């Protein structure tokens, strides 16, 4: 069986709901299966990648450091919607991990090529 | 002033209960009293004794516990919302023929009248919402 | 102050924030909490909608939520920062609160 | 103690989530306390009031008939956002109960006059 | 057909639908289910956004959800009605599915 | 074709599990097989035996039961999502020192590997989402 292309799309801000933390867990689980794993961060999902931030004052565990471990797990195709970054006034230097800014055409193409897509 | 707080979100799923807790601490430190916390919608899950925080990294259950011990605050889980989300006490378990129950005994299962009563007896009702 | 509007949703709910702002009078105030704090950042996406708020209406953001998300440096100038103590104070000063979510 | 003004604001479509059904339950509870109860239907909350519809094919209980009981419970101040109805192409004859179309100014005023506001 | 987009949110999430539509190609299809069916009605609110969908992309609505909400009579002409059987058929014909919520 | 289904929403709170059930019935009637239903996020609550439908007006618990009896389908509740929402079996109850448990025995508590495995073994993975 050839490797399957698994795509994880993050569209939500961290902490308000559990989607970001649970999406990260799903990605980490997929990473051990030796498949072709891709992540897209778009819309408010981009805020999952902010370098700064400390959740001590809101009493919620900060799952975001887990995204830094992705490279170690061999997950290296991490795309961010370039227009969404610009609209939010966020630059690459403010992100916690290296992520590739891409345009919408590339996002549509990536979606088309996936075998299964998970939304968070 | 007298405050009551309405919580719509479940621990782990939503920030609402965490925000409610921080707000309550700040209100108490400003000299206000909290008459009641009403757990409605998915917030009913706050009353479950079966919610587990892996690695004990979630301080909310302990925080509710200490808040209840130190202050005279009603912790009411809406009974209608609770039973639909698997938050039931021994009595409801018997009524609906379940062998297990889940309500944390610091919380009380009661009706929506407690929400209305809270709004009549409080100067402010603050909702921490979740969809 | 009459009503304190409490908004906790991100930009996917822009239609809800638009309605919140349309509903506000100049005697009202608005506080962004939780995922809503992204609206208090300085960006092309947010400035357009925030600019429609009634003049003199206070616009606030909760510092704890802004800081947790690493957005303190990005805060828009037109938005005032308050901590939980200040959030409670806003509820004291308003006659009622309306939560949008 | 004089009657308190309790305001219930419905903004969500029925069935997708529980807010409509739970909001109705809260209104019915409030109605027995002999207070001043007002409902506002706005945005997708207007769809809570549609006259037609049958949920048998989706396996969900239809709570909407409960709104028809409101008058019996003495709840008669039911406002709908007139612009939201128009934007959705919905006319008063399509609603299950008589509701008063109002403009935004009236909605803001109603919010200002409330002692406590509940969102659904 | 390449991707079937499944959209289940109402008009408060207009920003999400806009992105869904911007992401679609003319080889894709979109089905509205659950609260998303309100987008398939004929109204000033919905027509603007739906009109931006790529030409030739199929736009569908789930009849069971439309009927449950009493909106069958209000369906927009540009949207095709399918039942659950047709929904499954759409997933057979597409290479993958993307759920928006 | 082989399908797997992912459910994010809880009964009563969200339409997602109801839609998933209708979809599955239609898929089966078209001759497809369902390999697994993976209950993630708030969908974990589908696996609770303590959820009560007042007046038995909710057919979903019974519908899951019959589906499981008539077809060979895995019903997996994500263990991580489950324990955070109070859906635990006897073993987890013992591990986390709870006196009660809540998992319906038609459902299995297992890890996210089951979600990945489902996506590898199925021709289609359909998510019924909830926020």
């Amino acid at each position: 069986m050839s490797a399957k292309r698994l795509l994880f799309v993050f569209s939500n801000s961290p902490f308000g709901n559990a989607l970001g933390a649970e999406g990260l867990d799903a990605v980490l689980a997929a990473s051990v299966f030796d498949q072709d794993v891709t992540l897209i961060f778009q819309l408010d999902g981009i805020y999952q990648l902010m370098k700064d931030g400390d959740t001590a004052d809101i009493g919620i565990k900060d799952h975001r450091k887990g995204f830094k471990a992705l490279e170690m797990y061999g997950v290296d195709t991490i795309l961010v919607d370039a227009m969404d970054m610009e609209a939010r006034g966020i630059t690459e230097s403010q992100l916690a991990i290296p992520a590739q800014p891409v345009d919408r055409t590339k996002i549509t193409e990536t979606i088309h090529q996936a075998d299964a897509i998970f939304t968070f | 002033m007298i405050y009551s707080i309405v919580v719509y979100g479940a621990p782990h799923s939503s920030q609402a209960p965490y925000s409610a807790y921080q707000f309550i601490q700040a209100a108490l430190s400003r000299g206000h009293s909290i008459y009641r916390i009403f757990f409605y919608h998915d917030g009913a899950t706050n009353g479950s004794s079966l919610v587990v925080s892996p690695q004990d990294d979630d301080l909310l259950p302990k925080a509710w516990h200490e808040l209840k011990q130190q202050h005279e605050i009603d912790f009411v889980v809406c009974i209608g919302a609770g039973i639909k989300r698997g938050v039931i006490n021994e009595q409801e378990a018997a009524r609906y023929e379940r062998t297990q129950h889940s309500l944390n005994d610091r919380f009380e299962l009661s009706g929506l009248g407690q929400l209305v009563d809270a709004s009549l007896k409080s100067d402010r009702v603050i909702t921490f919402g979740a969809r | 102050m009459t009503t304190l509007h409490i908004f906790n949703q991100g930009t996917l709910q822009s239609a809800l924030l638009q309605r919140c702002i349309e509903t506000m009078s100049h005697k009202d105030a608005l506080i962004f909490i939780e995922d809503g704090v992204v609206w208090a950042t300085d960006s092309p996406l947010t400035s357009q909608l925030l600019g429609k708020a009634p003049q003199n209406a206070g616009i606030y953001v909760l510092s704890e939520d802004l800081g947790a998300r690493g957005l303190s440096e990005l805060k828009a100038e037109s938005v005032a920062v308050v901590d939980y103590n200040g959030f409670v104070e806003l509820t004291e000063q308003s006659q009622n609160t309306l939560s949008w979510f």
Side-chain angles (χ1 to χ4, degrees), chain A, chain B, chain C:
Chain A
M1 198 164 64
S2 66
K4 285 235 186 185
R5 284 163 297 193
L6 307 181
L7 174 61
F8 298 81
V9 181
F10 291 81
S11 303
N12 286 276
S13 167
F15 314 133
N17 60 47
L19 289 168
E22 294 184 330
L24 172 65
D25 286 344
V27 171
L28 292 174
S31 72
V32 305
F33 276 75
D34 210 24
Q35 306 293 315
D36 183 353
V37 173
T38 299
L39 280 65
I40 292 176
F41 291 86
Q42 65 175 11
L43 298 161
D44 287 354
I46 287 177
Y47 296 116
Q48 298 280 349
L49 297 180
M50 295 301 288
K51 190 167 58 182
D52 297 334
D54 179 351
T55 61
D57 288 343
I58 63 171
I60 285 190
K61 189 191 162 192
D62 192 350
H63 64 274
R64 299 176 309 159
K65 49 184 169 288
F67 288 114
K68 292 186 200 160
L70 289 177
E71 204 176 357
M72 208 171 66
Y73 282 82
V75 176
D76 49 11
T77 312
I78 300 178
L79 314 179
V80 288
D81 184 305
M83 279 172 72
D84 283 343
M85 283 186 65
E86 200 178 333
R88 283 161 183 75
I90 294 173
T91 59
E92 281 182 69
S93 65
Q94 291 164 328
L95 301 187
I97 56 171
Q100 187 189 340
V102 294
D103 64 14
R104 297 277 155 81
T105 309
K106 171 70 177 172
I107 286 177
T108 301
E109 202 177 284
T110 306
I111 289 168
H112 285 172
Q113 289 166 350
D115 289 304
I117 309 174
F118 303 96
T119 315
F120 293 101
Chain B
M1 288 201 283
I2 301 171
Y3 280 71
S4 281
I5 306 293
V6 187
V7 178
Y8 277 30
H12 296 295
S13 279
S14 158
Q15 198 183 338
Y18 304 86
S19 301
Y21 175 76
Q22 302 287 346
F23 183 92
I24 288 164
Q25 288 292 1
L28 290 169
S29 77
R30 287 181 66 84
H32 300 301
S33 66
I34 309 291
Y35 175 60
R36 177 171 295 148
I37 312 175
F38 191 83
F39 296 92
Y40 198 34
H41 194 62
D42 291 345
T45 304
N46 285 278
S48 170
S49 60
L50 304 186
V51 169
V52 170
S53 304
Q55 295 112 43
D56 275 335
D57 57 13
D58 188 291
L59 300 174
L60 191 63
K62 202 168 151 236
W64 287 138
H65 176 63
E66 289 172 6
L67 187 67
K68 180 75 181 171
Q69 275 192 324
Q70 290 158 15
H71 301 272
E72 230 174 272
I73 302 174
D74 269 2
F75 280 31
V76 176
V77 170
C78 173
I79 190 167
I83 67 170
K84 288 175 185 167
R85 288 163 178 88
V87 181
I88 57 175
N89 57 15
E90 281 191 73
Q91 197 183 333
E92 298 304 308
R95 183 201 312 264
Y96 295 107
E97 300 176 358
R98 300 300 201 277
T99 61
Q100 304 286 309
H101 53 91
S102 58
L103 187 74
N104 185 313
D105 58 17
R106 291 183 289 279
F107 294 73
E108 181 192 340
L109 272 187
S110 190
L112 277 159
Q114 302 291 324
L115 174 64
V116 183
D117 170 74
S119 70
L120 303 185
K121 303 227 173 97
S122 305
D123 301 299
R124 295 286 181 279
V125 180
I126 317 287
T127 297
F128 289 87
R131 305 192 66 241
Chain C
M1 195 201 311
T2 47
T3 298
L4 174 67
H5 298 262
I6 303 172
F7 197 92
N8 74 353
Q9 299 288 311
T11 69
L12 276 59
Q13 273 76 26
S14 57
L16 192 67
L17 178 59
Q18 183 168 343
R19 177 56 50 88
C20 167
I21 284 175
E22 285 168 5
T23 303
M24 286 173 67
S25 87
H26 64 280
K27 292 178 289 184
D28 290 353
L30 166 61
I31 182 168
F32 291 112
I33 69 168
E34 302 177 358
D35 286 352
V37 300
V38 304
W39 288 107
T41 58
D42 184 22
S43 75
L45 180 71
T46 56
S47 58
Q48 202 191 350
L49 208 43
L50 278 195
K52 290 184 187 159
Q55 290 210 322
N56 301 324
I59 312 282
Y60 302 88
V61 63
L62 188 63
S63 59
E64 286 86 344
D65 278 326
L66 197 66
R69 288 162 181 78
L71 300 173
S72 304
E73 305 273 303
L74 293 168
K75 189 189 72 66
E77 269 192 34
S78 59
V79 181
V81 177
V82 292
D83 60 9
Y84 269 105
N85 188 60
F87 182 9
V88 174
E89 197 175 354
L90 287 170
T91 65
E92 295 164 11
Q93 293 164 356
S94 64
Q95 284 165 33
N96 61 25
T97 64
L98 172 48
S99 297
W100 298 80
F101 53 89

